[in-house]
Amino acid sequence: QVQLVESGGGLVQPGGSLRLSCAASGSIFSINVMGWYRQAPGKERELVAAITSGGSTNYADSVKGRFTISRDNAKNTMYLQMNSLKPEDTAVYYCNAEVIWRPTLIPVDSWGQGTQVTVSS
């Protein structure tokens, strides 16, 4: 079984910063695309940022210039550096990854349990 575990959420004031981490564990052969999604109360889950195994990235317009996604393939870990946080960034942030799982080598779309980010004064 592949497990994704997020960490790094919390309460921060507007203009502050947080760094989220997502660690994948289990019988992993490789990981393709990894991404961060978020869901605010009463809203649909949305893509925040994604990164391929080669390092190509894309971001939601609302976070461009403020958030940076990165990954360490050797550690099967992904990060999201969030700067200049705004109250509208408040949401549960979820890690997502397409994991190639041993021994079947079949891609599995995997999700973490989510971590709460609250931006408030």
Side-chain angles (χ1 to χ4, degrees):
Q1 286 284 355
V2 174
Q3 187 175 21
L4 300 181
V5 178
E6 302 104 332
S7 61
L11 173 64
V12 64
Q13 292 186 342
S17 298
L18 283 175
R19 189 190 194 211
L20 305 183
S21 298
C22 170
S25 62
S27 301
I28 299 169
F29 176 74
S30 64
I31 302 176
N32 293 334
V33 176
M34 302 184 78
W36 289 98
Y37 289 74
R38 67 186 181 187
Q39 187 166 20
K43 294 188 176 182
E44 294 186 355
R45 190 173 297 188
E46 63 174 356
L47 176 67
V48 176
I51 184 167
T52 67
S53 57
S56 296
T57 60
N58 69 284
Y59 296 90
D61 288 343
S62 59
V63 306
K64 283 181 180 177
R66 300 188 297 122
F67 291 10
T68 302
I69 190 171
S70 61
R71 63 190 281 178
D72 185 333
N73 291 330
K75 297 181 179 180
N76 292 327
T77 301
M78 173 179 63
Y79 307 96
L80 185 68
Q81 178 66 44
M82 304 186 294
N83 299 327
S84 302
L85 282 161
K86 305 176 180 179
E88 51 263 43
D89 294 317
T90 296
V92 178
Y93 284 69
Y94 296 92
C95 170
N96 173 259
E98 184 181 77
V99 182
I100 310 298
W101 180 40
R102 297 178 189 273
T104 63
L105 302 185
I106 295 174
V108 176
D109 189 42
S110 304
W111 291 88
Q113 81 288 352
T115 184
Q116 177 70 46
V117 171
T118 302
V119 184
S120 175
S121 55

